[in-house]
């Protein structure tokens, strides 16, 4: 039970409140300093440009595919059917009735606009956010699979399994993620795509090399986390399970791993939070994730301050949600 | 039921210790054998060798005629017939009491859910805690946990039950409830090998008492023999220290 009113503080209330005030004063001054600095350099804040990078309304034009005359404009509630005809052809267009540009009897040439309508469309930032989420999710799933297999192999008695796991972990942990992304894309990617093409198959998009590099990278750390988790489960648990006639696999699946998983949730969450942040590196191999999308917006809208703050806030939202979700899982799997 | 011939075992970690030296004994079906001896005498190691949790270096151990030290033996099949109760209970903390008892029935014995469930409830009734079926082990007292552990082992319908100091981790007031369950089992004709310091239990329930010291069997006999006229000096010394 977490009962705050029962917590005794080491200082009197007035002092405590004073220091709370100091905290907010610091926070306020930091923001003010940044604001004053931007005024000094005559930065024009243009936050109003930000919403359109999330959602914007796109105008869609419906054009005639034939020359001829408008034979009929038939309005029905929100929709209308425009029929265009000439001596040889007759074509009907069903359009939303919000902006019809022609009337019955109008002469129409090929390519003329018959009607327009506006549709909500995800802006580039929202698309980037989606790519970031997609990359992270796939990398997390594959990372868990690699990590569980790796973790079990790491504690195996079989030298082939054990040494493979050790080599994998040391190799991956010993080099920067950026280098690994380059290797996945420019070395392995080139090899795989050229091989695929020589067999007449389609190339794999760069996104999947990005996912592979992240999954591989995070898998190594998850391997170590899983190993530590398994080893932290008391030997008595394995002995009890085995003494009941369970095989090693059954014991792992039903007894050790479920307990280990619960114990490793916090470090796992930390690992996946850094994975989400690391996905921002994928922009360099032409994956248009959140940061790359942000940079593209900045080059056109010229509002770097707003956009980079926005990107940071979005990353914070994702990582914070993940850590909330993990806390929920921890509570849900609690046994006392 | 159990036939151990010339079993030896040496530990090398943390330092070289001869845990078992040429241990030979036979335990018949329905017999209750209590193994006593000072700590480090190898009695727990002997018990753990009987279901292959420790692997004996030399000798043969036959459980119901099957040599468990033979590489070709499927040890999981043998272990399913040999129930074990540990000093520290070793219940599965992530599973409820009921799930603790049904897990191995379902996974190893492949029993349908209803059958495993019914069996578990019968056994919980027997050990007197059917009202805790849906509790988690951490919310139970030590005595209750140990009784669940006994029920868990019994659910497999074992031919032999091994008890490794089942009451040593319990508060004194809870020892009785666990011993009562064990006494009932013994009366029902279960083959039992019990490592314990509970001399009262040995005196009352055991068909035979084995005294071990320094990894070897020093003296074997009926409880009357042991507690009235032990022959070996080491037995006399040990008994005088604890009684």
């Amino acid at each position: 039970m977490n009962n705050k009113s029962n917590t005794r503080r080491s200082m009197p209330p007035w002092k405590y409140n004073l220091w709370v005030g100091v905290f907010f004063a610091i926070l306020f001054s930091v923001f003010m300093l940044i604001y004053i600095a931007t005024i000094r350099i005559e930065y024009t804040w243009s936050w109003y440009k930000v919403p359109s990078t999330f959602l914007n309304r796109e105008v869609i034009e419906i054009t005639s595919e034939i020359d001829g005359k408008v034979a009929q404009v038939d309005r029905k509630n929100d929709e209308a059917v425009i029929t265009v005809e000439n001596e040889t052809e007759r074509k009907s267009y069903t359009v939303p009735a919000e902006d019809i540009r022609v009337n019955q009897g109008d002469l129409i040439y090929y390519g003329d606009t018959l009607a327009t309508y506006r549709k909500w469309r995800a802006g580039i930032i929202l698309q980037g956010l989606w790519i970031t989420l997609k990359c992270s999710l796939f990398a997390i799933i594959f990372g868990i699979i690699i990590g569980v297999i790796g973790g079990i192999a790491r504690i195996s008695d079989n030298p082939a399994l054990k040494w493979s796991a050790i080599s994998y972990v040391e190799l991956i942990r010993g080099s920067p993620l950026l280098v690994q992304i380059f290797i996945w894309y420019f070395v392995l990617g080139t090899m795989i795509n050229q091989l695929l093409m020589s067999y007449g198959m389609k190339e794999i998009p760069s996104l999947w090399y990005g996912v592979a590099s992240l999954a591989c990278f995070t898998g190594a750390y998850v391997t170590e986390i899983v190993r530590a988790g398994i080893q932290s489960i008391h030997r008595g648990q394995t002995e009890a399970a085995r003494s009941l006639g369970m095989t090693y696999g059954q014991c792992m699946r039903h007894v050790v791993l479920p307990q280990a998983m619960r114990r490793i949730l916090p470090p796992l969450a930390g690992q996946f939070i850094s994975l989400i942040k690391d996905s921002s590196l994928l922009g360099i191999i032409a994956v248009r994730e959140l940061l790359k999308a942000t940079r593209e917006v900045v080059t056109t809208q010229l509002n770097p301050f707003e956009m980079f703050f926005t990107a940071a806030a979005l990353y914070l939202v994702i990582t914070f949600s993940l850590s909330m979700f993990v806390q929920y899982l921890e509570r849900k799997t609690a046994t006392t | 039921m159990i036939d151990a011939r010339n079993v030896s075992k040496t530990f090398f970690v943390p330092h070289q210790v001869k845990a078992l030296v040429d241990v030979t004994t036979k335990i018949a079906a329905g017999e209750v054998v209590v193994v006593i001896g000072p700590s480090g005498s190898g009695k727990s190691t002997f018990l753990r060798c009987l279901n292959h949790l420790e692997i004996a270096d030399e000798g043969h151990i036959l459980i119901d005629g099957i040599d468990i030290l033979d590489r070709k033996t499927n040890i999981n099949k043998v272990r399913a017939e040999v129930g074990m109760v540990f000093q520290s209970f070793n219940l599965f903390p992530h599973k409820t009491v009921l799930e603790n008892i049904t897990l191995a029935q379902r996974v190893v014995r492949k029993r349908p859910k209803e059958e495993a469930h019914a069996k578990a409830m019968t056994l919980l009734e027997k050990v007197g805690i059917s009202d805790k079926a849906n509790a988690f082990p951490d919310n139970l007292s030590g005595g209750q946990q140990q009784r669940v552990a006994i029920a868990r082992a019994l659910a497999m319908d074992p031919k032999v039950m091994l008890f490794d100091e089942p009451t040593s981790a319990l508060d004194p007031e809870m020892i009785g409830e666990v011993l009562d369950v064990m006494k009932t089992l013994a009366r029902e004709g279960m083959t039992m090998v019990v490592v314990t310091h509970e001399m009262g239990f040995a005196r009352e329930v055991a068909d035979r008492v084995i005294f071990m010291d320094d990894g070897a069997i020093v003296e074997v006999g009926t409880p009357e023999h042991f507690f009235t006229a032990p022959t070996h000096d080491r037995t006399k010394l040990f008994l005088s220290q604890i009684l």
Side-chain angles (χ1 to χ4, degrees):
Chain A
M1 263 309 213
N2 187 6
N3 196 343
K4 274 187 186 143
S5 59
N6 276 347
T7 318
R8 231 187 234 176
R9 296 200 186 102
S10 57
M11 48 175 96
W14 68 268
K15 235 180 184 176
Y16 182 83
N17 291 335
L18 179 75
W19 286 109
V20 170
V22 168
F23 167 75
F24 284 108
I26 293 172
L27 209 61
F28 180 73
S29 354
V30 169
F31 278 112
M32 279 316 285
L33 272 174
I34 293 173
Y35 182 66
I36 292 166
T38 58
I39 289 174
R40 268 291 178 82
I41 62 165
E42 287 169 17
Y43 184 84
T44 329
W45 289 95
S46 48
W47 283 104
Y48 68 90
K49 285 180 184 166
V50 175
S52 69
T53 60
F54 282 78
L55 273 179
N56 52 44
R57 295 196 84 175
E58 184 184 27
V59 177
I60 295 170
E61 295 186 344
I62 294 147
T63 55
S64 174
E65 288 157 302
I66 54 169
D67 297 342
K69 231 166 119 176
V70 177
Q72 203 185 6
V73 179
D74 188 10
R75 286 168 199 265
K76 258 186 227 155
N77 304 328
D78 297 342
E79 284 198 335
V81 180
I82 302 171
T83 314
V84 184
E85 65 176 5
N86 57 25
E87 289 79 13
T88 51
E89 280 179 285
R90 185 186 165 88
K91 277 211 149 175
S92 293
Y93 301 90
T94 309
V95 297
E98 64 185 58
D99 180 26
I100 291 170
R101 300 274 178 91
V102 292
N103 290 310
Q104 198 167 340
D106 285 1
L107 265 177
I108 297 290
Y109 292 100
Y110 172 86
D112 279 359
T113 303
L114 300 175
T116 66
Y117 65 93
R118 283 139 75 85
K119 204 175 76 174
W120 284 107
R121 196 184 57 158
I124 180 170
I125 292 295
L126 214 56
Q127 289 172 16
L129 185 66
W130 168 242
I131 297 290
T132 290
L133 286 171
K134 192 167 140 188
C135 286
S136 308
L137 185 71
F138 277 112
I140 285 173
I141 292 169
F142 291 128
I144 290 176
I145 296 171
I146 297 172
V148 170
I149 296 171
I152 293 172
R154 179 73 178 73
I155 53 167
S156 162
D157 289 332
N158 182 329
L161 290 176
K162 186 176 182 167
W163 295 353
S164 301
I166 294 175
S167 314
Y168 162 65
V169 169
E170 295 306 325
L171 213 63
I172 297 291
R173 289 204 303 193
S175 67
L177 176 56
L178 196 53
V179 175
Q180 291 176 33
I181 292 173
F182 282 142
I183 290 176
W184 269 101
Y185 185 60
F186 291 110
V187 181
L188 296 172
T190 310
M191 264 163 28
I192 293 168
N193 278 347
Q194 290 205 353
L195 279 174
L196 284 176
M197 268 163 60
S198 70
Y199 289 110
M201 281 181 278
K202 268 169 71 180
E203 284 187 22
I204 299 172
S206 62
L207 179 119
W208 294 106
Y209 292 107
V211 169
S213 60
L214 287 179
C216 230
F217 179 76
T218 214
Y221 289 87
V222 175
T223 294
E224 279 301 292
I225 294 173
V226 169
R227 176 193 62 78
I230 292 174
Q231 286 178 338
S232 78
I233 302 301
H234 192 261
R235 207 171 51 128
Q237 291 290 311
T238 315
E239 289 184 351
R242 300 302 304 270
S243 80
L244 290 161
M246 286 189 216
T247 61
Y248 178 78
Q250 289 168 338
C251 164
M252 273 289 157
R253 193 178 137 214
H254 296 286
V255 176
V256 176
L257 283 181
Q259 294 183 58
M261 277 301 164
R262 186 181 134 59
R263 207 168 284 184
I264 64 181
L265 270 176
L268 220 46
Q271 185 57 42
F272 292 146
I273 283 169
S274 19
L275 168 80
I276 291 170
K277 294 184 290 185
D278 288 343
S279 75
S280 60
L281 290 169
L282 294 186
I284 49 162
I285 58 165
V287 177
R288 206 207 240 173
E289 42 65 54
L290 182 52
L291 185 64
K292 177 121 183 2
T294 308
R295 277 158 54 207
E296 284 179 17
V297 171
V298 168
T299 51
T300 55
Q301 293 190 346
L302 303 173
N303 54 350
F305 291 17
E306 296 88 332
M307 289 317 296
F308 286 128
F309 281 140
T310 306
L314 286 173
Y315 278 114
L316 184 68
V317 168
I318 307 174
T319 53
F320 190 69
S321 314
L322 179 66
S323 85
M324 286 289 112
F325 175 65
V326 170
Q327 279 187 23
Y328 162 77
L329 277 187
E330 271 183 83
R331 269 200 308 275
K332 214 184 116 189
T333 52
T335 54
T336 39
Chain B
M1 182 58 69
I2 298 174
D3 187 357
R5 297 178 198 155
N6 311 102
V7 177
S8 294
K9 164 105 190 147
T10 308
F11 286 117
F12 293 94
V13 181
H15 44 82
Q16 193 171 337
V17 183
K18 283 194 167 178
L20 293 175
V21 186
D22 205 24
V23 173
T24 300
T25 189
K26 268 191 182 182
I27 294 159
E31 201 177 8
V32 177
V33 174
V34 171
V35 184
I36 59 173
S39 50
S41 61
K43 52 194 193 310
S44 277
T45 306
F46 175 61
L47 200 71
R48 290 162 60 81
C49 278
L50 294 183
N51 73 347
H52 216 250
L53 283 181
E54 301 288 356
I55 302 164
D57 300 332
E58 284 167 54
H60 294 279
I61 297 170
L62 279 75
I63 306 285
D64 214 15
I66 302 162
D67 189 347
I68 62 166
L69 291 169
D70 187 345
R71 278 185 187 281
K72 276 171 260 163
T73 304
N74 180 352
I75 191 62
N76 296 317
K77 276 203 170 136
V78 179
R79 277 175 175 159
E81 308 294 334
V82 180
M84 181 138 187
V85 176
F86 299 85
Q87 180 178 354
S88 49
F89 329 134
N90 297 347
L91 292 179
F92 308 134
H94 62 304
K95 297 203 173 281
T96 63
V97 164
L98 193 65
E99 288 166 345
N100 262 278
I101 305 176
T102 52
L103 179 66
Q105 295 190 66
R106 309 255 291 121
V107 175
V108 180
R109 289 275 193 239
K110 312 282 183 210
R111 285 180 190 151
K113 199 176 175 182
E114 295 73 30
E115 192 190 333
H117 191 280
K119 176 104 193 163
M121 287 314 293
T122 315
L123 285 167
L124 280 176
E125 199 82 47
K126 185 175 179 174
V127 299
I129 33 174
S130 48
D131 55 323
K132 299 281 185 192
N134 293 314
F136 281 98
D138 287 349
N139 297 335
L140 267 54
S141 73
Q144 289 170 328
Q145 288 193 49
Q146 192 60 297
R147 284 185 283 154
V148 173
I150 294 174
R152 179 176 69 179
L154 288 175
M156 301 297 284
D157 295 317
K159 292 174 180 155
V160 187
M161 285 285 283
L162 309 176
F163 291 85
D164 189 2
E165 305 200 23
T167 55
S168 299
L170 295 176
D171 290 335
E173 73 270 22
M174 290 168 186
I175 292 176
E177 61 194 51
V178 172
L179 289 181
D180 285 343
V181 172
M182 291 168 63
K183 283 174 194 166
T184 314
L185 265 185
R187 241 177 279 127
E188 288 169 359
M190 174 62 77
T191 312
M192 291 163 65
V193 184
V194 186
V195 170
T196 187
H197 295 295
E198 292 295 323
M199 293 305 143
F201 178 81
R203 201 188 299 236
E204 190 182 336
V205 184
D207 296 312
R208 204 146 49 102
V209 178
I210 294 176
F211 174 70
M212 287 182 76
D213 196 12
D214 286 337
I217 293 180
V218 176
E219 192 165 352
V220 184
T222 60
E224 295 82 54
H225 161 82
F226 251 88
F227 296 111
T228 52
T231 41
H232 283 265
D233 291 340
R234 271 190 290 179
T235 320
K236 283 177 196 164
L237 181 66
F238 175 71
L239 289 173
S240 70
Q241 279 166 343
I242 61 164
L243 287 179

